[in-house]
Amino acid sequence: MAAAPEPPGPCRRRPEPPPTRFHEVHGVNIRVDPSGTRATRVESFANGLCFSREPLAPGQVFLVEIEEKELGWCGHLRLGLTALDPGSLAPVPEYSLPDLVSLGRSWVFAITRHHNRVATEGDDEPPSRPPGLLDEPYLHIEQLRIPRDRLVGRSRPGRYSHLLDQLYELNVLPPTARRSRLGVLFCPLPDGTADMHILINGEDMGPSARGLPTTQPLYAVVDVFASTKSVRLVQLEYGLPSLQTLCRLVIQRNVIHRLAIDGLHLPTGLKDFCKYE
């Protein structure tokens, strides 16, 4: 596994973890596309368990975007980590909660329309809304600093995109809405254990599980359950942003309506990258 994240201090480039992909082992109702980045439940409401292909590195975010919803079912996507090797699961459990968790060494969090934030000792006031991307471009968790830009869901380009994007950024929309982005990661602690954190549209929900082992590989768990029908993986940049990313950020922050990007004298690929990513 990768080395523990560097302590606070001057910004130093750390190795980029490999791109995230879905494991070839998954629930019987799941179909993973050839790229390994999109998982769709094709039948029923259960048997939708998916795993990361590789164990996560400390501080690495396994980030999914909700692509499709299915009406008529109660319940939503579930997210977490497991120290079980997905390749050893035969058969794959029908549910993450309680089936996978009952096998032990698995920690899964049910995403709901409300009440996703984990209450911590001394919390007397409701949490305030997260700052905007321009106010605080990085998410800070323990000793980690993660760029928030790709963590936040974005609407499809349209007339009201600039308004909808603000709702995602401020977590006004339900986390179970289409295009919401949800992530899971673990943060190593000095005592040799780790905390699991759930991220919703760039906001940390707090340590939803504590005491995870750091001496064992930890795989991400995504349960494409009930009203959540399809999710896709979103890749993050952890080191210095690429020139393409910097161009995208400048364009996005200076163009109110993403439809106006089509009128700019830019290569088609860069226009699409600015509109959709």
Side-chain angles (χ1 to χ4, degrees), residues 12-26:
R12 288 178 290 176
R13 188 180 181 89
R14 61 172 175 157
E16 290 277 334
T20 53
R21 296 288 186 268
F22 285 115
H23 203 286
E24 60 272 13
V25 173
H26 48 70

Side-chain angles (χ1 to χ4, degrees), residues 115-126:
H115 311 300
N116 295 287
R117 178 176 288 279
V118 177
T120 57
E121 188 175 351
D123 278 353
D124 297 324
E125 298 181 1

